[in-house]
């Protein structure tokens, strides 16, 4: 269906303008005042029209452990996460539905799902996520989470010889699995892209990364991975390679203008220069970095150097939400304490630019979506400026980014399809989704993890943490 959005407020260089926007055959056909009506009319009065944001890094299956895992650093947190990961593809289907809905209702039109899969049922896992995202209609970049080394290998040895149980899937099996997923599910014209996405150097061999680079080159696919999320990962990289993880990724041919790198908290000046040279994208996940105590990524330095940046929510067990507006707000104002020169601070307009075109650029799709540009695909979001959380009237984008908008999304289009109208998702029954999530879960407190106990003593030793903190037991 074609649409004419009438009298919507859009940002321009010197402020805002009121315009009509024609959406024809899934693309933005015209932007100007008083356009001829085509298709269905949408009332844009007192509403702000922006390009859709990209949730550039998340893990949808984590939804089942939202609000559950206690405050621990990544290396311990992930041990508990994997101990209790869902084992039913229907759970993965429901969590992908929920991730898509929460992303849409917080201004997102695309999601990069670094998909945690069920061991031995990987193809079913991918199929479940694909089915969910196609039903909702969001633009989905599904990145099967792949490793070929066990979790214990992700912690530095600290000079202590350690034996690791081999990972359940070999390097070649992982490469073949990804190849099968590409052949079976990669349908970019239908809004589903499969990304080669190794977990990270801390859990992957060089052979795994090189195999994924080869598939990326063969099928012209974006690449995605975690990079230097924690201090322990920085230590491990120097222990394994004798150099920075960023330098090693460059040597493996993994970095390019279609590579996005989640977190990038522990980079130095030489690393920054490599990202500038290779034109790779940093995906900023401020909520999980704070939740897990990983650190504050030097985003202002990246922006000043000319590195492309995007925003991600990260998974629901480390953020613990899929609210893009929340991630954008925290990811903007957090950095005011990292640089005393306020002229370097991120403005609300810069934040939405990062969230939209920054995300599209990281996926190699900036020519197709990410801005209000005639000819681009119509991935758009209309915000209700009469919503109580966006009043009284001041600067619309300032209210959106610096405030705490609640239920402010009126309409969402992806590839010209209207997925949200009058604040409600049109493609699936959200009430039914809520009921299924409720029925398949239960109230849980004081869950005990055995896997954390297996790695905690070594982690504390390597990180030079005392065995017991005074005043605690």
């Amino acid at each position: 269906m074609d649409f004419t959005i009438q009298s919507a407020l859009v940002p321009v260089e010197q402020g805002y303008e009121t315009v009509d926007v024609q959406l024809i055959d899934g693309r933005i056909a015209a932007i100007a005042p008083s356009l001829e009506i085509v298709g269905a009319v949408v009332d844009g009065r007192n509403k702000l029209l922006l390009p859709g944001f990209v949730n550039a890094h998340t893990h949808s299956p984590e939804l089942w452990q939202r609000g559950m895992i206690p405050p621990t650093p990544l290396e311990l947190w992930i041990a508990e996460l994997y101990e209790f990961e869902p084992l039913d593809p229907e759970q993965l289907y429901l969590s992908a539905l929920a991730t898509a809905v929460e992303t849409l209702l917080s201004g997102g039109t695309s999601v990069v799902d670094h998909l945690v899969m069920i061991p031995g049922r990987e193809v079913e896992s991918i199929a479940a996520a694909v089915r969910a995202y196609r039903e909702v209609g969001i633009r989905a970049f599904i990145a099967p989470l792949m490793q070929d080394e066990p979790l214990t290998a992700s912690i530095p040895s600290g000079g202590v010889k350690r034996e690791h149980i081999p990972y359940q899937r070999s390097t070649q099996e992982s490469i073949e699995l990804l190849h099968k997923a590409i052949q079976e599910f990669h349908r970019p014209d239908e809004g589903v892209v499969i990304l080669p996405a190794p977990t990270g150097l801390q859990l992957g061999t060089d052979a795994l990364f090189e195999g994924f680079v080869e598939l990326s080159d063969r099928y012209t696919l974006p690449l995605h991975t975690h990079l230097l999320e924690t201090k322990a990962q920085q230590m491990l990289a120097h222990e394994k390679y004798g150099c920075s993880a960023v330098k090693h990724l460059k040597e493996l041919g993994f970095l390019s203008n279609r590579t996005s790198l989640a977190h990038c908290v522990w980079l130095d000046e030489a690393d920054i220069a490599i990202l500038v040279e290779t034109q790779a994208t940093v995906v900023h996940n401020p909520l999980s970095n704070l939740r897990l105590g990983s650190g504050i990524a030097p985003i202002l330095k990246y922006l000043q150097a000319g590195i492309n940046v995007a925003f991600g929510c990260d998974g629901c067990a480390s953020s613990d939400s899929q609210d893009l507006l929340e991630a954008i707000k925290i990811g903007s104002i957090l950095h005011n304490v990292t640089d005393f020169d306020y002229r370097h601070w991120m403005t609300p307009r810069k934040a939405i630019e990062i969230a939209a075109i920054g995300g599209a650029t990281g996926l190699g799709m900036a020519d197709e979506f990410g801005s209000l540009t005639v000819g681009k695909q119509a991935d758009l979001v209309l915000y209700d400026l009469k919503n109580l959380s966006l009043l009284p009237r001041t600067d619309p984008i300032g209210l959106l980014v610096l405030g705490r908008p609640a239920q402010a999304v009126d309409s969402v289009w992806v590839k010209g399809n209207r997925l949200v109208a009058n604040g409600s998702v049109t493609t699936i029954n959200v009430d039914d989704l809520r009921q299924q999530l409720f029925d398949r879960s239960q109230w849980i407190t004081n869950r005990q993890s055995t896997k954390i106990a297996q790695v905690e003593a070594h982690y504390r030793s390597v990180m030079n943490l005392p065995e017991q903190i005074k005043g605690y037991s």
Side-chain angles (χ1 to χ4, degrees):
M1 183 182 293
D2 298 334
F3 294 90
T4 301
I5 306 168
Q6 290 189 312
S7 303
L9 206 63
V10 298
V12 294
E13 189 172 344
Q14 297 302 319
Y16 298 89
E17 288 183 354
T18 300
V19 298
D20 296 347
V21 180
Q22 290 178 346
L23 311 183
I24 299 176
D25 294 333
R27 293 187 178 269
I28 302 171
I31 303 174
S34 304
L35 289 173
E36 177 185 353
I37 293 175
V38 296
V41 174
V42 177
D43 186 359
R45 289 175 298 175
N46 300 312
K47 296 182 177 73
L48 174 68
L49 185 67
L50 294 177
F53 303 145
V54 177
N55 187 353
H57 178 72
T58 190
H59 308 278
S60 64
E62 285 186 21
L63 181 90
W64 295 99
Q65 299 188 62
R66 174 155 35 191
M68 168 55 63
I69 304 177
T72 48
L74 174 78
E75 286 74 19
L76 305 184
W77 168 91
I78 199 170
E80 179 167 345
L81 178 80
Y82 278 24
E83 184 175 355
F84 298 102
E85 61 186 346
L87 297 175
D88 179 0
E90 189 68 13
Q91 288 181 282
L92 270 59
Y93 164 72
L94 292 172
S95 55
L97 283 180
T99 295
V101 168
E102 289 192 62
T103 297
L104 287 174
L105 294 179
S106 59
T109 51
S110 296
V111 60
V112 178
D113 190 352
H114 212 176
L115 185 72
V116 182
M117 298 176 291
I118 301 169
R121 305 181 72 179
E122 291 87 354
V123 174
E124 290 178 76
S125 301
I126 299 168
V130 169
R131 176 163 65 101
Y133 290 131
R134 288 174 65 104
E135 286 181 13
V136 175
I138 197 169
R139 196 185 291 270
F141 297 82
I142 298 175
L145 191 73
M146 299 256 199
Q147 65 192 70
D148 59 355
E149 294 188 306
L151 281 176
T152 53
S154 68
I155 301 176
S157 72
V160 177
K161 184 174 176 58
R162 303 175 69 211
E163 297 293 332
H164 302 294
I165 299 172
Y167 189 63
Q168 61 201 11
R169 192 175 54 240
S170 72
T171 303
Q172 190 56 38
E173 286 171 339
S174 293
I175 294 170
E176 290 171 358
L177 172 60
L178 178 63
H179 192 199
K180 182 176 182 179
I182 293 168
Q183 293 178 317
E184 189 165 343
F185 301 112
H186 181 62
R187 301 289 184 272
D189 292 343
E190 300 171 16
V192 175
V193 173
I194 301 296
L195 274 66
T199 303
L201 282 174
Q202 72 278 9
L203 286 168
T205 63
D206 289 357
L208 183 72
F209 275 78
E210 289 168 342
F212 281 14
V213 169
E214 192 278 326
L215 286 173
S216 169
D217 291 341
R218 190 191 312 179
Y219 294 100
T220 318
L221 300 173
L223 287 163
H224 187 67
T225 194
H226 296 95
L227 177 64
L228 292 177
E229 183 174 356
T230 67
K231 177 66 173 177
Q233 290 177 9
Q234 183 190 55
M235 294 164 59
L236 179 66
H238 282 278
E239 184 178 280
K240 288 174 68 174
Y241 313 118
C243 66
S244 157
V246 179
K247 182 180 179 183
H248 193 68
L249 281 180
K250 181 186 175 185
E251 291 171 348
L252 293 175
F254 194 84
L255 302 180
S256 75
N257 61 1
R258 63 172 190 264
T259 303
S260 58
L261 305 162
H263 302 293
C264 297
V265 176
W266 292 89
L267 274 61
D268 60 23
E269 295 298 331
D271 295 332
I272 292 173
I274 291 173
L275 294 193
V276 172
E277 175 192 349
T278 58
Q279 300 180 47
T281 289
V282 169
V283 182
H284 187 27
N285 303 278
L287 293 167
S288 63
N289 293 161
L290 293 171
R291 162 84 151 87
L292 303 178
S294 301
I296 299 176
I299 296 299
L300 298 184
K301 284 187 176 182
Y302 298 156
L303 293 172
Q304 290 165 37
I307 295 170
N308 183 58
V309 175
F311 281 116
C313 289
D314 211 349
C316 267
S318 66
S319 58
D320 290 57
S321 77
Q322 294 300 295
D323 188 332
L324 262 172
L325 289 170
E326 180 184 41
I328 292 166
K329 176 178 180 175
I330 297 299
S332 302
I333 63 176
L334 174 65
H335 304 285
N336 296 0
V337 301
T338 67
D339 189 333
F340 189 69
D341 190 342
Y342 53 87
R343 291 183 178 178
H344 295 157
W345 295 355
M346 195 184 303
T347 65
R349 288 203 175 209
K350 182 63 177 178
I352 65 163
E353 177 186 316
I354 288 170
I357 196 67
T361 299
L363 295 163
M365 299 288 287
D367 291 339
E368 286 297 313
F369 60 87
S371 64
L372 292 172
T373 304
V374 172
K376 286 194 176 183
Q377 294 188 31
D379 287 18
L380 305 173
V381 180
L382 196 62
Y383 298 90
D384 181 6
L385 295 177
K386 296 183 77 174
N387 181 282
L388 181 60
S389 62
L390 296 178
L391 288 171
R393 287 187 286 173
T394 57
D395 173 40
I397 290 177
L399 288 165
L400 191 69
V401 172
L402 297 176
R404 184 61 180 89
Q407 300 177 323
V409 170
D410 176 88
S411 298
V412 179
W413 290 264
V414 175
K415 299 177 70 174
N417 298 312
R418 195 179 188 187
L419 308 186
V420 177
N422 302 314
S424 297
V425 176
T426 62
T427 49
I428 67 165
N429 186 326
V430 177
D431 287 337
D432 180 62
L433 171 62
R434 281 199 293 262
Q435 189 64 50
Q436 290 193 68
L437 291 172
F438 185 88
D439 290 344
R440 283 176 167 264
S441 57
Q442 58 185 325
W443 306 120
I444 303 173
T445 57
N446 199 30
R447 182 176 74 180
Q448 297 299 311
S449 169
T450 60
K451 289 193 179 295
I452 283 185
Q454 294 170 9
V455 298
E456 185 171 19
H458 178 71
Y459 175 83
R460 293 188 67 83
S461 173
V462 168
M463 301 307 295
N464 198 28
L465 297 170
E467 290 186 13
Q468 186 170 331
I469 301 175
K470 187 177 180 181
Y472 289 79
S473 59

